[in-house]
Amino acid sequence: MAKTISEIAEETGYSRTTITMVLSGRASEYRISARTQKIIQDYVAEHGYTINQTARNLKTRRSHTVGFVAPEIANPFFARFMASLEACCRAEGLVLITTSSGEDPALEVRALQSLMERGVDALVLAPCAPRPPASARKRGRRTPMVLVDRHYPGDSVEAITSDHRENARLLTAAVMASGAERVVFFCGHPDNPAIAERIAGFREAAGDGEKARVLTADDDSAAAGEAMMQALLADGGELPSALVCSSLLVLEGALQCLKQARSAVPPEMIIATFDYDGFLELLPNTVIVIRQDEAALARAAFSSIAAQIGGKPAAEGTRTIVDAELVRLNATA
Amino acid sequence: MAKTISEIAEETGYSRTTITMVLSGRASEYRISARTQKIIQDYVAEHGYTINQTARNLKTRRSHTVGFVAPEIANPFFARFMASLEACCRAEGLVLITTSSGEDPALEVRALQSLMERGVDALVLAPCAPRPPASARKRGRRTPMVLVDRHYPGDSVEAITSDHRENARLLTAAVMASGAERVVFFCGHPDNPAIAERIAGFREAAGDGEKARVLTADDDSAAAGEAMMQALLADGGELPSALVCSSLLVLEGALQCLKQARSAVPPEMIIATFDYDGFLELLPNTVIVIRQDEAALARAAFSSIAAQIGGKPAAEGTRTIVDAELVRLNATA
DNA sequence: ATGAAAGCGCTAACAA
DNA sequence: TTGTTAGCGCTTTCAT
């Protein structure tokens, strides 16, 4: 921690104020003489100085810090989102503090609590459970906050999400337009509102007859994908002509299971999923993907909290939709 | 922020000390009467209290915070490492603050600086450039630190890494044992010491004759993989019997390029790479992978900083090796 | 069993 | 042009 302002003041013979002013770059504003500035600069160049942000934060009640609580940072979607959000923050001199809840509501609460105790200027949350109504939360200056990706009905905080329902509808429609007759949708974690919306969208496009089945699992993982595929295979009968998955993890598990059971993924099966992975391009199958725009989501989330930090009253219950892209790989194959 | 300790003291009629004691769970230790405790507990239950960690940190000179600077958090290896490290931290009541440098040395310096200003108790760094020698850094109580994944020669800080050279040797040997005759190694970013070591290991196993070529690119990206594949194809001649890549991104780019050029990745080509991705299992090719143990790396890094925080003098220049796993996919295919 | 008081390092209004 | 001063909210030693 090198020297403190007091020490520098002591040792150069100037007052703390003077030192503060030149170190914070407001020397001219306070008309510190060039000579004084130089003396102080030189002293610092020699002895070093790292500001103690803790003390500064305590005094100014700003931490120049934004908290982000992700359900699972190992999920590439959130990793990319985090990278974009961090870039937004850095551009404004803010530091992003990322934490993950592991999809555990109790951990989510603890993470939020911990970030607030540390005085973050704003919070970005991808919730894994509905939050208690505002009235139940303790009063006091509430920290600016924005929800991303997921939105539980009734939450009054602004949410930035993709239109999961519409995207699922488009994806499913594209699958059917490619000639699929029997379509199966594998869903991890249907309690998650994003997933629930995807199911709704799937139903809109595919109907709910015999030829459009939805299988669900308790969580969003490769194991869940495997389990659903096993259930499907156990049913006997022929494979569907298209497989739609709610996430890359589920897809991965499902395809691995299929490969084990049938020695290969049938190349004529249409594969559809949310989120992009480069290796999908290598499959011989037609692959259709909804690719969310993590950078745009991050920008939207950031501009919301920036506005709130700037004093703009939070837009209660607003929901902002960010467009996603429908990508078709191997369309020519 | 609800109430402060002073306010609670004021409004309940007790002193700040008493409030502190019961709120920090040391009531019995200080023999606060049960009645007093109850009164205070009730008051807090009704009005709420969130401790101001900023003030606490300032006083105690501990932030219960660990900083992690990753080169690129969107890289799944670092994302998984971060998730594991966070779990270690949480178990000890520490909060992990993750930041990324984007492989930019200037950003790395800024990130470290910013974390130190914020008073993190320790730093975990995956460096993207050699750091200035300790003597050049400003004196003062140095923050406990550990390097991960990469280690620039001459750095005196403890490093936790895989044995990149040996792993590359094993990987290459496994490839050759599978019958590959002509082997090509695509490398992103050879300035990175981890990559340089991998090249050395490759050479050990494959020699440096005509049949063992190394191509390099300036960065670690899919674009780099594509460029190297294009260069290889432009050379004419037949494809190598095995392709080794320094990272998943490079592999992805290389294979996509190959697919474009030859309509498909030749299924008899052996593919080898570092780091695992579930979709690799779906390729018809024999795929051999070095799978690093992110959780073990995280545990080792954490135990090092925990020891340093606990006052153990840093083990100068120590290098700790964490075993990786050689995985062969589709060996039967 | 409880309280008083000093002070962590910094900022900023006000004085000089 | 520079200095004085009063805290920010908390912990902790020492009194009572």
Side-chain angles (χ1 to χ4, degrees):
Chain A
M1 291 282 182
K3 303 271 181 181
T4 72
I5 286 194
S6 294
E7 285 166 344
I8 298 179
E10 180 104 352
E11 293 167 30
T12 57
Y14 289 96
S15 79
R16 301 221 298 287
T17 313
T18 306
I19 308 294
T20 298
M21 290 319 168
V22 357
L23 289 184
S24 64
R26 286 173 298 171
S28 54
E29 188 183 323
Y30 276 74
R31 293 176 290 195
I32 308 294
S33 72
R35 204 179 78 91
T36 301
Q37 290 189 43
K38 176 145 182 20
I39 292 176
I40 295 174
Q41 301 285 13
D42 288 350
Y43 183 92
V44 166
E46 188 187 343
H47 297 89
Y49 170 69
T50 25
I51 189 174
N52 182 329
Q53 293 286 359
T54 304
R56 179 174 210 264
N57 296 347
L58 179 59
K59 180 67 186 176
T60 61
R61 289 140 173 295
R62 284 273 268 126
S63 66
H64 300 276
T65 264
V66 172
F68 171 44
V69 180
E72 182 55 80
I73 205 61
N75 176 331
F77 168 75
F78 289 112
R80 285 189 290 252
F81 175 82
M82 170 187 168
S84 295
L85 185 60
E86 192 187 4
C88 294
C89 288
R90 187 163 34 226
E92 299 292 328
L94 298 169
V95 169
L96 182 67
I97 302 185
T98 301
T99 298
S100 50
S101 65
E103 300 278 6
D104 176 343
L107 275 187
E108 175 177 304
V109 170
R110 286 237 303 266
L112 288 171
Q113 174 75 16
S114 162
L115 289 168
M116 297 191 52
E117 288 175 352
R118 295 194 142 73
V120 293
D121 293 341
L123 280 167
V124 178
L125 169 67
C128 65
R131 294 169 331 106
S135 55
R137 276 173 265 146
K138 297 301 175 226
R139 46 204 142 299
R141 197 185 60 70
R142 52 203 277 216
T143 309
M145 174 150 143
V146 64
L147 266 23
V148 291
D149 185 53
R150 305 164 180 189
H151 174 255
Y152 288 85
D155 201 315
S156 63
V157 171
E158 176 172 8
I160 316 282
T161 69
S162 296
D163 189 337
H164 298 296
R165 191 191 48 67
E166 175 66 1
N167 289 341
R169 194 185 66 71
L170 288 172
L171 180 64
T172 310
V175 163
M176 301 187 60
S178 298
E181 303 229 309
R182 299 178 55 249
V183 187
V184 177
F185 187 16
F186 281 5
C187 280
H189 205 246
D191 291 350
N192 177 326
I195 302 288
E197 290 178 33
R198 285 174 184 171
I199 294 179
F202 173 82
R203 287 293 185 204
E204 275 182 44
D208 51 3
E210 259 295 295
K211 306 199 170 237
R213 297 181 59 188
V214 173
L215 269 60
T216 61
D218 281 344
D219 60 344
D220 179 29
S221 65
E226 259 178 76
M228 288 184 277
M229 181 56 81
Q230 233 139 25
L232 187 72
L233 293 173
D235 254 21
E238 40 176 354
L239 282 174
S241 39
L243 173 65
V244 183
C245 287
S246 66
S247 79
L248 287 174
L249 278 175
V250 166
L251 176 63
E252 184 184 318
L255 293 184
Q256 282 178 17
C257 178
L258 193 51
K259 185 175 180 195
Q260 298 251 316
R262 302 285 169 104
S263 91
V265 176
E268 69 284 359
M269 188 169 79
I270 298 174
I271 292 173
T273 188
F274 295 84
D275 299 333
Y276 173 85
D277 179 292
F279 289 102
L280 286 173
E281 312 241 9
L282 302 174
L283 296 179
N285 307 62
T286 291
V287 179
I288 310 181
V289 163
I290 287 288
R291 193 169 186 173
Q292 297 190 67
D293 190 340
E294 294 95 356
L297 287 162
R299 281 193 302 272
F302 184 79
S303 80
S304 167
I305 57 172
Q308 290 181 53
I309 290 175
K312 186 165 153 282
E316 288 282 314
T318 308
R319 185 148 176 212
T320 302
I321 298 295
V322 170
D323 287 339
E325 187 190 3
L326 183 74
V327 185
R328 169 185 295 259
L329 314 176
N330 295 321
T332 57
Chain B
M1 294 277 183
K3 302 270 181 181
T4 72
I5 285 193
S6 293
E7 286 167 343
I8 299 178
E10 181 104 353
E11 293 168 31
T12 59
Y14 290 96
S15 77
R16 300 221 299 284
T17 314
T18 305
I19 308 295
T20 299
M21 290 319 166
V22 358
L23 288 185
S24 63
R26 286 172 299 170
S28 54
E29 187 183 324
Y30 276 73
R31 291 174 294 196
I32 307 295
S33 73
R35 205 181 80 89
T36 302
Q37 290 188 44
K38 176 146 181 24
I39 293 176
I40 295 174
Q41 303 284 14
D42 288 352
Y43 183 91
V44 166
E46 188 186 344
H47 298 89
Y49 170 67
T50 23
I51 190 174
N52 181 330
Q53 294 285 1
T54 303
R56 179 173 209 266
N57 296 347
L58 179 59
K59 181 65 186 175
T60 60
R61 293 142 172 292
R62 284 272 269 127
S63 66
H64 300 275
T65 264
V66 172
F68 171 43
V69 180
E72 182 54 82
I73 205 60
N75 176 330
F77 168 74
F78 289 113
R80 284 189 291 251
F81 176 82
M82 169 186 168
S84 295
L85 185 61
E86 192 186 6
C88 293
C89 288
R90 187 162 36 225
E92 300 292 329
L94 298 169
V95 170
L96 182 67
I97 304 185
T98 300
T99 298
S100 49
S101 65
E103 301 277 6
D104 176 341
L107 276 186
E108 175 177 305
V109 170
R110 287 236 304 264
L112 288 172
Q113 174 75 15
S114 161
L115 289 168
M116 296 190 52
E117 288 174 353
R118 296 194 141 74
V120 293
D121 293 341
L123 280 167
V124 178
L125 168 66
C128 66
R131 293 167 334 102
S135 55
R137 277 174 263 145
K138 295 303 173 224
R139 48 202 140 301
R141 199 185 61 69
R142 53 204 278 214
T143 309
M145 174 150 143
V146 64
L147 266 22
V148 291
D149 185 52
R150 306 163 180 189
H151 174 255
Y152 288 83
D155 201 315
S156 64
V157 171
E158 176 172 7
I160 315 282
T161 68
S162 296
D163 189 339
H164 299 296
R165 190 190 47 67
E166 176 65 2
N167 290 340
R169 195 184 66 71
L170 288 172
L171 180 64
T172 310
V175 163
M176 300 186 60
S178 296
E181 305 227 309
R182 299 179 54 250
V183 187
V184 177
F185 187 17
F186 281 6
C187 279
H189 205 247
D191 290 349
N192 178 326
I195 303 289
E197 291 178 31
R198 285 174 183 171
I199 295 180
F202 173 81
R203 286 294 185 204
E204 274 181 44
D208 52 3
E210 259 295 296
K211 307 200 171 232
R213 298 181 58 188
V214 173
L215 269 63
T216 61
D218 281 344
D219 61 344
D220 179 29
S221 67
E226 260 179 76
M228 288 185 276
M229 183 55 82
Q230 234 139 26
L232 187 72
L233 294 173
D235 254 19
E238 38 176 355
L239 282 174
S241 37
L243 173 66
V244 184
C245 287
S246 65
S247 79
L248 287 174
L249 278 175
V250 167
L251 175 64
E252 185 184 316
L255 294 184
Q256 282 177 17
C257 177
L258 194 51
K259 185 174 181 194
Q260 299 249 317
R262 302 284 169 104
S263 93
V265 176
E268 69 283 359
M269 188 169 79
I270 298 174
I271 293 173
T273 188
F274 295 83
D275 300 333
Y276 172 85
D277 180 293
F279 287 103
L280 286 174
E281 312 240 10
L282 301 174
L283 296 180
N285 307 63
T286 291
V287 178
I288 310 182
V289 163
I290 287 289
R291 192 169 185 173
Q292 297 189 68
D293 190 339
E294 295 94 355
L297 286 162
R299 282 194 301 272
F302 184 78
S303 78
S304 167
I305 56 173
Q308 291 181 51
I309 290 175
K312 186 166 154 284
E316 288 282 314
T318 306
R319 186 147 174 213
T320 302
I321 298 295
V322 170
D323 286 340
E325 187 188 3
L326 182 74
V327 185
R328 167 187 295 262
L329 314 176
N330 294 320
T332 57

